[in-house]
């Protein structure tokens, strides 16, 4: 009888403990992981990168060889300088014709005054007018030609400047940096290795902003809403459990079968909805760690 009594007491205690430990959903902690890939092609000259290190946003962590790109830029710059030096000076090249036209117009005025006094023949005035017309047509043709040459040079110079800007952009992309402030989770290349555009270099994540991806059964959805605060319990193994404040930031619109690694209050065959709960990390939470949610 005593043995049966002890068994009944133990069962009651276990049932009470299980009831206290009941949770509404559970899942694993995760962070927004970013796979940083090389944007340039060449040898990695230097790389200051180790797994677990903290990096800042846009902090330069490495450099890909840019010698060939710099040489191409210098070549294009030399072509641009040569092109600009060949630009015609329109005013200086037409100065002689303008001077001749001014002199003839002065002469025309003098002859007109002489004709009024009857001291010069009208044919002399006609000859001067004809010369002025010829020179003005020459001036107009020369200015048009010089402007076209200058315009062509402007277009060619713009094309060279665009190529130089393209090379400068390629050179800037040869700097290896992190797009966010965070922690380096993985490192995939070392200094001295050859990389191509798109080669994975590292994986980083902002570990300060963690999420618990938990799975709720449909009967609990009415209790959930964006911005709702919930209790999140992180399981560190053994008896180590810590409670955090969480906030619902995303609720899936589609149901799915419960993942095998997740236990819910109902059977695994039930359809559930994934929910992301934002949790401020105090430095203890890690990606993949198990957590529970209490509404």
């Amino acid at each position: 009888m005593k043995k049966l009594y002890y068994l009944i007491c133990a069962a009651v205690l276990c049932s009470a403990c299980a009831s206290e430990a009941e949770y509404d959903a559970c899942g694993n902690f995760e962070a927004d992981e970013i796979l940083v890939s090389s944007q340039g092609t060449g040898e990695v000259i230097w790389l200051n990168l180790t797994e677990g290190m903290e990096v800042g946003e846009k902090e330069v962590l490495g450099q890909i060889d840019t010698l060939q790109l710099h040489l191409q830029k210098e070549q294009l710059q030399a072509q641009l300088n040569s092109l600009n030096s060949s630009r015609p000076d329109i005013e200086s090249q037409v100065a002689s014709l303008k001077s001749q036209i001014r002199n003839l117009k002065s002469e025309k005025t003098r002859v007109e005054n002489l004709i009024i006094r009857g001291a010069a023949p009208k044919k002399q005035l006609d000859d001067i007018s004809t010369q002025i017309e010829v020179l003005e047509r020459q001036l107009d043709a020369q200015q048009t030609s010089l402007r076209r040459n200058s315009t062509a040079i402007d277009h060619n110079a713009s094309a060279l400047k665009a190529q130089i800007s393209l090379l400068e952009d390629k050179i800037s992309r040869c700097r290896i940096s992190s797009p966010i402030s965070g922690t380096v989770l993985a490192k995939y290349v070392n200094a001295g290795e050859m990389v191509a555009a798109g080669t994975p270099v590292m994986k980083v994540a902002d570990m300060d902003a963690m999420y618990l991806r938990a799975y709720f059964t449909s009967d609990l959805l009415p209790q959930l809403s964006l911005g709702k605060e919930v209790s999140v319990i992180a399981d560190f193994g053994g008896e180590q459990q810590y409670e955090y404040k969480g906030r619902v930031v995303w609720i899936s619109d589609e149901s799915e079968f419960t993942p095998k690694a997740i236990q819910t209050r109902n059977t695994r065959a039930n359809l559930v909805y994934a929910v992301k709960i934002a949790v401020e990390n105090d430095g203890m939470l890690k990606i993949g760690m198990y957590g529970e949610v209490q509404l």
Side-chain angles (χ1 to χ4, degrees), residues 60-121:
V60 179
L61 304 170
Q63 178 68 51
I64 299 171
D65 183 23
T66 59
L67 177 60
Q68 295 297 323
L69 296 176
H70 277 290
L71 292 176
Q72 292 177 33
K73 179 184 173 182
E74 289 181 4
Q75 183 181 20
L76 290 174
Q77 188 63 56
Q79 293 178 18
L80 179 61
N81 295 337
S82 175
L83 191 62
N84 286 329
S85 65
S86 66
R87 188 184 304 277
D89 186 346
I90 298 177
E91 287 302 318
S92 64
Q93 293 193 36
V94 299
S96 177
L97 281 175
K98 286 184 175 181
S99 177
Q100 293 180 53
I101 292 172
R102 284 195 302 269
N103 293 336
L104 284 173
K105 285 183 177 180
S106 297
E107 181 65 15
K108 180 181 178 182
T109 301
R110 188 183 69 81
V111 171
E112 286 174 343
N113 293 330
L114 290 174
I115 291 175
I116 292 174
R117 294 195 298 269

Side-chain angles (χ1 to χ4, degrees), residues 4-212:
L4 180 60
Y5 175 77
Y6 289 136
L7 290 174
I8 293 174
C9 289
V12 171
L13 290 173
C14 289
S15 176
C17 291
S19 178
E20 292 177 0
E22 185 178 0
Y23 51 86
D24 295 297
C26 62
N28 296 97
F29 286 96
E30 59 183 37
D32 291 333
E33 301 179 9
I34 297 179
L35 182 63
V36 181
S37 299
S38 168
Q39 298 186 57
T41 299
E43 180 185 355
V44 180
I45 301 301
W46 64 272
L47 186 64
N48 180 25
L49 188 66
T50 57
E51 294 180 348
M53 73 180 292
E54 299 292 326
V55 296
E57 181 180 358
K58 303 301 181 182
E59 177 185 353
V60 179
L61 304 170
Q63 178 68 51
I64 299 171
D65 183 23
T66 59
L67 177 60
Q68 295 297 323
L69 296 176
H70 277 290
L71 292 176
Q72 292 177 33
K73 179 184 173 182
E74 289 181 4
Q75 183 181 20
L76 290 174
Q77 188 63 56
Q79 293 178 18
L80 179 61
N81 295 337
S82 175
L83 191 62
N84 286 329
S85 65
S86 66
R87 188 184 304 277
D89 186 346
I90 298 177
E91 287 302 318
S92 64
Q93 293 193 36
V94 299
S96 177
L97 281 175
K98 286 184 175 181
S99 177
Q100 293 180 53
I101 292 172
R102 284 195 302 269
N103 293 336
L104 284 173
K105 285 183 177 180
S106 297
E107 181 65 15
K108 180 181 178 182
T109 301
R110 188 183 69 81
V111 171
E112 286 174 343
N113 293 330
L114 290 174
I115 291 175
I116 292 174
R117 294 195 298 269
K122 187 174 182 300
K123 183 179 183 304
Q124 185 176 356
L125 179 62
D126 293 338
D127 291 342
I128 294 175
S129 297
T130 301
Q131 293 179 40
I132 292 174
E133 289 177 4
V134 171
L135 290 176
E136 285 180 338
R137 285 197 294 268
Q138 291 179 6
L139 175 63
D140 183 63
Q142 187 170 0
Q143 286 179 325
T144 300
S145 176
L146 292 173
R147 289 193 190 101
R148 287 176 179 172
N149 290 339
S150 183
T151 300
I153 290 174
D154 288 339
H155 291 163
N156 291 333
S158 296
L160 288 175
K161 289 178 180 178
Q163 293 180 53
I164 291 174
S165 297
L166 179 61
L167 285 174
E168 289 175 343
D169 180 68
K170 287 184 176 181
I171 290 171
S172 68
R173 291 177 183 271
C174 287
R175 291 190 292 268
I176 299 173
S177 62
S178 171
I180 63 169
S181 296
T183 302
V184 178
L185 303 180
K187 172 186 175 183
Y188 301 115
V189 299
N190 294 301
E193 294 182 356
M194 293 292 295
V195 295
T199 302
V201 176
M202 60 180 168
K203 183 186 292 183
V204 296
D206 182 4
M207 298 297 291
D208 293 332
M210 298 285 289
Y211 302 94
L212 177 67

Side-chain angles (χ1 to χ4, degrees), residues 255-271:
S255 61
E256 56 186 290
F257 285 103
T258 313
K260 293 181 179 180
I262 302 298
Q263 297 282 353
T264 61
R265 295 194 304 175
N266 298 322
T267 62
R268 295 187 183 194
N270 285 347
L271 291 175

